[in-house]
């Protein structure tokens, strides 16, 4: 059994240990156990964010869970080392996340109560399904991974009254974050991105401003954007959004075509993630040739209650 949990900010050595743990799980399962946001936040120390490590008596990290209480629901991602599964570590981490979800978003603030806990399972693997069922959890959200082969193409013709240009770091940061918040106002993760979150991603090796395209109206107002990234053979449509004030004009399809044109010649295939219930976006992506390849799922207590 693991020793008592270590709860609190991670040291640089702890961050390295969690990354090694995630890499071991990725190698064993064929899918990364932690998504980009938790990995970027491994070194973060925020009142609404909790890190918990499970260790053995020798101090070896057996498992990790991160709980984010900053949204409408508390969201958790956890990973257990492949050699230490089915020994109670996963259940210990889940119980820790459940207790953490009962805490207020910000300590010392009156009038707050716990939030429903949602737990991600990347790849929707059978062992994760069995673990969730045994804990009384059911799927409440699907995030589809879609892909298509890239072919040489030319950028789409601009629509009258609109122009596409590249993002300018340092100039467009705040305006893009405001646009993104409008476009993803109901999205539990994307709509919460801050300027600091943006700049964290701009510091990543994959960032290329030339693949971060903004759509401006004739008066200079940002109407939409598409952000692409290239890693290895994959060119990802990382985020595409349209301001609600400009929706219904085909701008999502225009931006998608512009992003694909940029990725052509830079990657072998195009990939993206989209919520399974986002019918409008799915229609755009299927129209441009994307097909479902995998799925991530989010679980919540089956009775819908706050733990």
């Amino acid at each position: 059994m693991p020793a008592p949990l270590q709860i609190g900010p991670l040291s640089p050595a702890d961050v390295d240990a969690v990354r090694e743990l995630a890499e071991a799980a990725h190698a064993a399962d064929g899918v990364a156990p932690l998504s980009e946001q938790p990995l970027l936040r491994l070194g973060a120390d925020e009142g609404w964010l909790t890190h918990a490590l499970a260790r053995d008596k020798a101090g070896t990290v057996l498992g990790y869970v991160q709980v984010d209480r900053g949204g409408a629901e508390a969201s958790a991602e956890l990973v257990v080392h492949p050699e230490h599964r089915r020994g109670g570590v996963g259940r210990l981490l889940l119980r820790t996340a459940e207790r953490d979800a009962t805490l207020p978003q910000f300590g010392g603030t009156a009038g707050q109560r716990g939030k429903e806990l949602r737990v991600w399972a990347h790849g929707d693997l059978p062992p994760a399904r069995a673990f969730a069922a045994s804990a009384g959890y059911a799927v409440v959200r699907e995030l589809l991974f879609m892909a298509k082969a890239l072919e040489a193409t030319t950028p789409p013709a601009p629509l009258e009254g609109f122009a596409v240009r590249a993002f300018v770091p340092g100039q467009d940061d705040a305006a893009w974050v405001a646009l993104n918040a409008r476009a993803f106002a109901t999205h539990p993760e994307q709509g919460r991105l801050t300027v600091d979150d943006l700049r964290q991603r701009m510091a990543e090796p994959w960032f290329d401003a030339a693949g971060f395209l903004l759509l401006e109206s004739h008066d200079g107002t940002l109407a939409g954007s598409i952000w692409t990234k290239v890693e290895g053979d994959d060119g990802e449509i990382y985020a595409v959004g349209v301001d609600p004030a400009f929706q219904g004009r085909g701008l999502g399809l225009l931006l998608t075509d512009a992003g694909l044109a940029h990725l052509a010649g830079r990657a072998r295939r195009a990939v993206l993630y989209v919520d399974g219930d986002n019918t409008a976006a799915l229609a755009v992506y299927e129209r441009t040739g994307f097909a479902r390849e995998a799925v991530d799922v989010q679980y919540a207590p089956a009775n819908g209650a706050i733990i």
Side-chain angles (χ1 to χ4, degrees), residues 285-306:
Y285 298 140
E286 289 171 352
R287 180 177 171 183
T288 53
F290 282 91
R292 170 175 167 165
E293 285 206 355
V295 61
D296 295 341
V297 296
Q298 198 173 46
Y299 289 95
N303 60 9
I306 295 174

Side-chain angles (χ1 to χ4, degrees), residues 160-164 214-224 246 249:
E160 184 177 356
F162 295 93
V164 176
L214 305 182
L215 182 69
E216 287 185 330
S217 66
H218 62 88
D219 63 358
T221 300
L222 291 186
F246 292 91
R249 307 188 195 186

Side-chain angles (χ1 to χ4, degrees), residues 252-273:
L253 181 59
L254 171 71
L255 286 164
T256 300
D257 287 342
L260 291 173
H262 173 80
L263 292 173
R266 293 177 169 86
R268 182 180 60 83
R269 66 172 187 168
V271 301
L272 58 84
Y273 290 90

Side-chain angles (χ1 to χ4, degrees), residues 41-54:
R41 287 177 173 163
L42 288 177
D45 180 11
E46 303 286 352
W48 43 265
L49 190 70
T50 298
H51 307 275
L53 291 173

Side-chain angles (χ1 to χ4, degrees), residues 60-83:
T60 302
V61 173
L62 307 182
Y64 168 75
V65 65
Q66 183 179 124
V67 186
D68 175 357
R69 298 188 309 280
E73 297 91 17
S75 175
E77 298 199 24
L78 64 86
V79 55
V80 177
H81 195 284
E83 296 177 1

